[in-house]
PDB file of all heavy atoms in Angstrom:
ATOM      1  N   THR W 138     -63.213  58.183 103.249  1.00  0.00           N
ATOM      2  CA  THR W 138     -62.147  59.185 103.147  1.00  0.00           C
ATOM      3  C   THR W 138     -61.953  59.542 101.673  1.00  0.00           C
ATOM      4  O   THR W 138     -62.432  58.842 100.791  1.00  0.00           O
ATOM      5  CB  THR W 138     -60.800  58.640 103.682  1.00  0.00           C
ATOM      6  OG1 THR W 138     -60.436  57.504 102.880  1.00  0.00           O
ATOM      7  CG2 THR W 138     -60.887  58.225 105.135  1.00  0.00           C
ATOM      8  N   GLY W 139     -61.231  60.637 101.432  1.00  0.00           N
ATOM      9  CA  GLY W 139     -60.862  60.984 100.055  1.00  0.00           C
ATOM     10  C   GLY W 139     -61.851  61.899  99.384  1.00  0.00           C
ATOM     11  O   GLY W 139     -62.648  62.586 100.033  1.00  0.00           O
ATOM     12  N   GLU W 140     -61.799  61.883  98.059  1.00  0.00           N
ATOM     13  CA  GLU W 140     -62.560  62.765  97.169  1.00  0.00           C
ATOM     14  C   GLU W 140     -64.052  62.836  97.528  1.00  0.00           C
ATOM     15  O   GLU W 140     -64.776  61.858  97.379  1.00  0.00           O
ATOM     16  CB  GLU W 140     -62.362  62.219  95.740  1.00  0.00           C
ATOM     17  CG  GLU W 140     -63.253  62.791  94.687  1.00  0.00           C
ATOM     18  CD  GLU W 140     -62.645  64.024  94.028  1.00  0.00           C
ATOM     19  OE1 GLU W 140     -61.408  64.077  93.873  1.00  0.00           O
ATOM     20  OE2 GLU W 140     -63.422  64.922  93.684  1.00  0.00           O
ATOM     21  N   GLY W 141     -64.496  63.985  98.033  1.00  0.00           N
ATOM     22  CA  GLY W 141     -65.929  64.216  98.297  1.00  0.00           C
ATOM     23  C   GLY W 141     -66.486  63.433  99.465  1.00  0.00           C
ATOM     24  O   GLY W 141     -67.705  63.272  99.588  1.00  0.00           O
ATOM     25  N   ALA W 142     -65.591  62.928 100.355  1.00  0.00           N
ATOM     26  CA  ALA W 142     -66.031  62.047 101.442  1.00  0.00           C
ATOM     27  C   ALA W 142     -67.096  62.700 102.324  1.00  0.00           C
ATOM     28  O   ALA W 142     -68.012  62.021 102.802  1.00  0.00           O
ATOM     29  CB  ALA W 142     -64.825  61.637 102.283  1.00  0.00           C
ATOM     30  N   ASP W 143     -67.000  64.019 102.519  1.00  0.00           N
ATOM     31  CA  ASP W 143     -67.956  64.693 103.408  1.00  0.00           C
ATOM     32  C   ASP W 143     -69.375  64.677 102.844  1.00  0.00           C
ATOM     33  O   ASP W 143     -70.332  64.953 103.562  1.00  0.00           O
ATOM     34  CB  ASP W 143     -67.493  66.143 103.665  1.00  0.00           C
ATOM     35  CG  ASP W 143     -67.220  66.890 102.369  1.00  0.00           C
ATOM     36  OD1 ASP W 143     -66.756  66.250 101.404  1.00  0.00           O
ATOM     37  OD2 ASP W 143     -67.502  68.106 102.308  1.00  0.00           O
ATOM     38  N   ARG W 144     -69.525  64.347 101.571  1.00  0.00           N
ATOM     39  CA  ARG W 144     -70.865  64.331 100.977  1.00  0.00           C
ATOM     40  C   ARG W 144     -71.437  62.924 100.875  1.00  0.00           C
ATOM     41  O   ARG W 144     -72.491  62.716 100.285  1.00  0.00           O
ATOM     42  CB  ARG W 144     -70.827  64.994  99.595  1.00  0.00           C
ATOM     43  CG  ARG W 144     -70.453  66.476  99.679  1.00  0.00           C
ATOM     44  CD  ARG W 144     -70.695  67.177  98.361  1.00  0.00           C
ATOM     45  NE  ARG W 144     -69.891  66.617  97.295  1.00  0.00           N
ATOM     46  CZ  ARG W 144     -68.652  67.026  96.993  1.00  0.00           C
ATOM     47  NH1 ARG W 144     -68.086  68.003  97.681  1.00  0.00           N
ATOM     48  NH2 ARG W 144     -67.983  66.464  96.015  1.00  0.00           N
ATOM     49  N   VAL W 145     -70.738  61.961 101.454  1.00  0.00           N
ATOM     50  CA  VAL W 145     -71.230  60.584 101.415  1.00  0.00           C
ATOM     51  C   VAL W 145     -71.836  60.251 102.777  1.00  0.00           C
ATOM     52  O   VAL W 145     -71.192  60.483 103.802  1.00  0.00           O
ATOM     53  CB  VAL W 145     -70.071  59.603 101.120  1.00  0.00           C
ATOM     54  CG1 VAL W 145     -70.572  58.164 101.069  1.00  0.00           C
ATOM     55  CG2 VAL W 145     -69.393  59.969  99.806  1.00  0.00           C
ATOM     56  N   PRO W 146     -73.074  59.736 102.820  1.00  0.00           N
ATOM     57  CA  PRO W 146     -73.664  59.407 104.122  1.00  0.00           C
ATOM     58  C   PRO W 146     -72.840  58.345 104.856  1.00  0.00           C
ATOM     59  O   PRO W 146     -72.304  57.434 104.217  1.00  0.00           O
ATOM     60  CB  PRO W 146     -75.060  58.873 103.776  1.00  0.00           C
ATOM     61  CG  PRO W 146     -75.083  58.655 102.305  1.00  0.00           C
ATOM     62  CD  PRO W 146     -73.957  59.442 101.700  1.00  0.00           C
ATOM     63  N   ASP W 147     -72.736  58.484 106.203  1.00  0.00           N
ATOM     64  CA  ASP W 147     -71.974  57.470 106.945  1.00  0.00           C
ATOM     65  C   ASP W 147     -72.900  56.672 107.859  1.00  0.00           C
ATOM     66  O   ASP W 147     -72.497  56.148 108.879  1.00  0.00           O
ATOM     67  CB  ASP W 147     -70.811  58.112 107.724  1.00  0.00           C
ATOM     68  CG  ASP W 147     -71.306  59.150 108.713  1.00  0.00           C
ATOM     69  OD1 ASP W 147     -72.547  59.342 108.785  1.00  0.00           O
ATOM     70  OD2 ASP W 147     -70.476  59.756 109.400  1.00  0.00           O
ATOM     71  N   ASP W 148     -74.184  56.619 107.458  1.00  0.00           N
ATOM     72  CA  ASP W 148     -75.142  55.820 108.216  1.00  0.00           C
ATOM     73  C   ASP W 148     -75.781  54.778 107.292  1.00  0.00           C
ATOM     74  O   ASP W 148     -75.236  54.483 106.229  1.00  0.00           O
ATOM     75  CB  ASP W 148     -76.209  56.729 108.844  1.00  0.00           C
ATOM     76  CG  ASP W 148     -76.888  57.601 107.775  1.00  0.00           C
ATOM     77  OD1 ASP W 148     -76.746  57.287 106.571  1.00  0.00           O
ATOM     78  OD2 ASP W 148     -77.551  58.586 108.138  1.00  0.00           O
ATOM     79  N   GLN W 149     -76.951  54.279 107.706  1.00  0.00           N
ATOM     80  CA  GLN W 149     -77.582  53.199 106.932  1.00  0.00           C
ATOM     81  C   GLN W 149     -77.993  53.638 105.520  1.00  0.00           C
ATOM     82  O   GLN W 149     -78.338  52.809 104.681  1.00  0.00           O
ATOM     83  CB  GLN W 149     -78.802  52.642 107.689  1.00  0.00           C
ATOM     84  CG  GLN W 149     -78.443  51.810 108.918  1.00  0.00           C
ATOM     85  CD  GLN W 149     -77.502  50.650 108.600  1.00  0.00           C
ATOM     86  OE1 GLN W 149     -77.630  49.990 107.577  1.00  0.00           O
ATOM     87  NE2 GLN W 149     -76.522  50.397 109.484  1.00  0.00           N
ATOM     88  N   ASP W 150     -77.959  54.941 105.234  1.00  0.00           N
ATOM     89  CA  ASP W 150     -78.264  55.416 103.877  1.00  0.00           C
ATOM     90  C   ASP W 150     -77.104  55.179 102.926  1.00  0.00           C
ATOM     91  O   ASP W 150     -77.250  55.299 101.708  1.00  0.00           O
ATOM     92  CB  ASP W 150     -78.563  56.922 103.884  1.00  0.00           C
ATOM     93  CG  ASP W 150     -79.950  57.192 104.402  1.00  0.00           C
ATOM     94  OD1 ASP W 150     -80.755  56.239 104.444  1.00  0.00           O
ATOM     95  OD2 ASP W 150     -80.213  58.350 104.792  1.00  0.00           O
ATOM     96  N   ASN W 151     -75.941  54.880 103.491  1.00  0.00           N
ATOM     97  CA  ASN W 151     -74.779  54.611 102.631  1.00  0.00           C
ATOM     98  C   ASN W 151     -75.064  53.360 101.800  1.00  0.00           C
ATOM     99  O   ASN W 151     -75.462  52.322 102.327  1.00  0.00           O
ATOM    100  CB  ASN W 151     -73.543  54.433 103.507  1.00  0.00           C
ATOM    101  CG  ASN W 151     -72.295  54.273 102.670  1.00  0.00           C
ATOM    102  OD1 ASN W 151     -72.128  53.270 101.993  1.00  0.00           O
ATOM    103  ND2 ASN W 151     -71.444  55.286 102.702  1.00  0.00           N
ATOM    104  N   LEU W 152     -74.843  53.481 100.489  1.00  0.00           N
ATOM    105  CA  LEU W 152     -75.195  52.389  99.579  1.00  0.00           C
ATOM    106  C   LEU W 152     -74.405  51.107  99.900  1.00  0.00           C
ATOM    107  O   LEU W 152     -74.919  50.001  99.738  1.00  0.00           O
ATOM    108  CB  LEU W 152     -74.934  52.838  98.139  1.00  0.00           C
ATOM    109  CG  LEU W 152     -75.878  52.306  97.070  1.00  0.00           C
ATOM    110  CD1 LEU W 152     -77.338  52.532  97.409  1.00  0.00           C
ATOM    111  CD2 LEU W 152     -75.551  52.924  95.710  1.00  0.00           C
TER     112      LEU W 152
END
Side-chain angles (χ1 to χ4, degrees):
T138 61
E140 168 90 34
D143 52 326
R144 296 192 299 271
V145 180
D147 59 1
D148 55 16
Q149 288 304 320
D150 283 343
N151 185 292
L152 214 52

